[in-house]
């Protein structure tokens, strides 16, 4: 190789050390990137972890990236995602945000100290043990479809104020234990589909109006007295 060829090859290698390009094709594990008038072969891309812990997020076609090429050889290049372009929206400067292509958005606003999750589909949480939620302020969960939580262990929710469930119907398929006072405002109906007593209460019951059993009023019923005639209604 003469001096001119050597200098030309060195210039080519230097130019290829770091190149800005656009992803033009992807497969399961590799990308092709357009660099000016040329295109690379199939190249791997950089991610955070690929060992005992793994992160996976493949760059998409049209995304602008860097191609780092050891020794200036593009065939040995590695793709480093990604570069913001004018085609991307300007986001809140106080937010860390992830927006998926279907519109799902996860963001944390560290100025307002607020985490927002806006999912266009279902949310599924699966845990082998226990989930503990310790809430000191407020949590709002909204969904147009289904929120599914499936645990093999316990779920503990702890808050110093209250938990509110706003729904037209709520179903509990197992036993329900209320360790504090129970207050209801729209009446109560009970059935015992397993047979036996419908309700067992230990202690006194105070009723401000009336008790009706089998169509007979406790307050208004009268019966025949021992000496004839009818007794007065109980007082």
């Amino acid at each position: 190789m003469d001096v001119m060829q050597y200098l030309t090859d060195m210039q080519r290698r230097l130019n290829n050390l770091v190149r800005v390009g656009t992803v033009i094709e992807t497969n399961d594990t590799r990308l092709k990137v357009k660099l000016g008038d040329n295109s690379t072969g199939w190249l791997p891309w950089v991610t955070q972890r690929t060992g005992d812990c793994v992160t996976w997020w493949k760059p998409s076609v049209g995304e602008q990236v860097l191609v780092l090429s050891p020794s200036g050889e593009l065939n040995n290049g590695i793709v480093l995602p990604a570069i913001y372009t004018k085609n991307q929206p300007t986001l809140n400067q106080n937010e860390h945000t992830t927006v998926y292509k279907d519109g799902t958005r996860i963001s944390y606003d560290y100025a307002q100290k607020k985490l927002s999750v806006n999912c266009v589909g279902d949310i599924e949480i699966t845990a082998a043990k226990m989930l503990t939620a310790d809430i000191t302020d407020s949590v709002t969960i909204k969904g147009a479809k289904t929120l599914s939580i499936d645990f093999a262990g316990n779920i503990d929710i702890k808050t110093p104020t209250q938990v509110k469930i706003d729904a037209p119907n709520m179903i509990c398929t197992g036993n329900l234990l209320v360790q504090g006072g129970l207050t209801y405002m729209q009446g109560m109906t009970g059935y015992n589909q397993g047979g036996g007593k419908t309700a067992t209460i230990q202690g006194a019951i105070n009723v401000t109006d009336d008790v009706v059993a089998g169509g007979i009023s406790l307050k208004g019923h009268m019966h025949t007295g021992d000496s004839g005639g009818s007794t007065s209604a109980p007082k």
Side-chain angles (χ1 to χ4, degrees):
M1 180 182 295
D2 60 25
V3 175
M4 288 303 299
Q5 289 177 323
Y6 176 79
L7 291 176
T8 300
D9 184 63
M10 286 296 296
Q11 184 65 45
R12 177 187 65 81
R13 290 173 179 264
L14 286 173
N15 290 339
N16 287 338
L17 284 174
V18 181
R19 296 284 300 272
V20 177
T22 302
V23 178
I24 56 173
E25 192 175 351
T26 69
N27 64 18
D28 290 342
T29 60
R30 294 291 188 269
L31 311 170
K32 285 186 178 181
V33 180
K34 183 174 178 58
L35 303 171
D37 295 330
N38 301 317
S39 299
T40 69
W42 291 107
L43 303 178
W45 71 87
V46 175
T47 187
Q48 291 178 299
R49 294 290 303 276
T50 60
D52 54 357
C53 298
V54 178
T55 57
W56 173 261
W57 203 349
K58 184 172 66 176
S60 58
V61 172
E63 194 165 351
Q64 198 169 59
V65 296
L66 284 177
V67 177
L68 310 179
S69 303
S71 301
E73 292 293 343
L74 290 177
N75 290 334
N76 299 325
I78 302 172
V79 180
L80 179 64
I83 303 172
Y84 287 109
T85 65
K86 64 181 180 180
N87 296 326
Q88 302 301 321
T90 300
L91 302 177
N92 186 338
Q93 301 301 307
N94 294 323
E95 284 185 352
H96 176 211
T97 301
T98 301
V99 181
Y100 297 89
K101 65 180 182 180
D102 64 353
T104 294
R105 178 189 180 106
I106 302 173
S107 64
Y108 178 69
D109 189 323
Y110 42 85
Q112 298 185 22
K113 295 180 173 55
K114 179 180 179 181
L115 176 67
S116 301
V117 179
N118 187 350
C119 182
V120 300
D122 297 342
I123 298 177
E124 181 176 338
I125 302 174
T126 303
K129 293 187 177 180
M130 182 174 70
L131 171 68
T132 300
D134 191 351
I135 304 168
T136 57
D137 196 345
S138 63
V139 174
T140 300
I141 301 176
K142 298 179 180 180
K145 293 186 178 179
T146 303
L147 171 63
S148 176
I149 303 176
D150 186 359
F151 284 96
N154 298 327
I155 299 177
D156 291 338
I157 300 176
K158 181 180 180 181
T159 174
T161 54
Q162 70 174 10
V163 176
K164 181 179 180 181
I165 302 175
D166 188 355
N169 295 289
M170 186 171 67
I171 299 174
C172 178
T173 61
N175 298 323
L176 177 64
L177 171 64
V178 179
Q179 295 183 337
L182 175 63
T183 301
Y184 57 90
M185 302 174 64
Q186 299 263 340
M188 180 172 65
T189 302
Y191 305 94
N192 191 346
Q193 296 180 345
K197 298 178 180 179
T198 300
T200 299
I201 299 175
Q202 296 180 0
I205 299 177
N206 294 326
V207 180
T208 60
D209 192 350
D210 195 3
V211 177
V212 178
I216 300 175
S217 167
L218 175 63
K219 290 178 63 177
H221 84 280
M222 292 182 292
H223 57 83
T224 303
D226 293 338
S227 301
S230 297
T231 64
S232 61
K235 297 182 179 180

